[in-house]
Amino acid sequence: MKDSIRLEPMTREMCHAFYRRFKNDCAVFSPGQKFEEYTYTYERVDKYWQEQNVESRRVFGIFLNNDLIGEIKLKYIDAVKRECSMGIHMIDDSVKGKGYGTQ
């Protein structure tokens, strides 16, 4: 079976499920930036969830088949100019570099 990628609007429950399993990657840190391993806490993720749910952002879960493997954010949305920035977080190294985020 070919891998199937789909996006779904991120829910609070999905956000918590994602960040419970999330592993940050020292390779994405800028030179001189201190790497600290990510630790899940309910409070931290709930605060993050609230910060993301504003008018100028949209967050989607990235699913590979039925597994939540990433999140994609449209941020700084300017409806008048029809512009935004985009960010992608993949859950861990097992799904990075395989084209799932860009697919």
Side-chain angles (χ1 to χ4, degrees), residues 50-67:
Q50 291 172 7
E51 291 168 352
Q52 301 310 304
N53 280 285
V54 294
E55 190 65 29
S56 62
R57 290 180 183 251
R58 296 290 180 271
V59 184
F60 300 88
I62 303 170
F63 285 83
L64 171 61
N65 301 319
N66 289 317
D67 296 324

Side-chain angles (χ1 to χ4, degrees), residues 13-69:
E13 294 77 20
M14 285 167 53
C15 188
H16 279 278
F18 178 76
Y19 280 101
R20 264 188 227 102
R21 295 178 39 223
F22 179 77
K23 303 272 189 269
N24 59 341
D25 182 354
C26 64
V28 299
F29 280 69
S30 300
Q33 191 178 21
K34 184 180 177 192
F35 174 75
E36 292 184 24
E37 194 167 316
Y38 173 78
T39 303
Y40 170 84
T41 67
Y42 184 89
E43 294 77 17
R44 180 181 191 176
V45 173
D46 223 46
K47 181 180 180 205
Y48 172 78
W49 167 253
Q50 291 172 7
E51 291 168 352
Q52 301 310 304
N53 280 285
V54 294
E55 190 65 29
S56 62
R57 290 180 183 251
R58 296 290 180 271
V59 184
F60 300 88
I62 303 170
F63 285 83
L64 171 61
N65 301 319
N66 289 317
D67 296 324
L68 178 60
I69 63 162

Side-chain angles (χ1 to χ4, degrees), residues 2-7 62-65 69 99-101 103:
K2 186 173 180 343
D3 290 332
S4 172
I5 298 293
R6 73 176 190 284
L7 300 179
I62 303 170
F63 285 83
L64 171 61
N65 301 319
I69 63 162
Y100 297 137
Q103 186 178 341

Side-chain angles (χ1 to χ4, degrees), residues 10 19 48 51-52 56-62 70-77 84-89:
M10 185 72 86
Y19 280 101
Y48 172 78
E51 291 168 352
Q52 301 310 304
S56 62
R57 290 180 183 251
R58 296 290 180 271
V59 184
F60 300 88
I62 303 170
E71 74 172 1
I72 187 167
K73 288 188 268 191
L74 303 179
K75 50 192 178 178
Y76 312 113
I77 296 171
C84 68
S85 295
M86 183 179 78
I88 299 174
H89 286 115

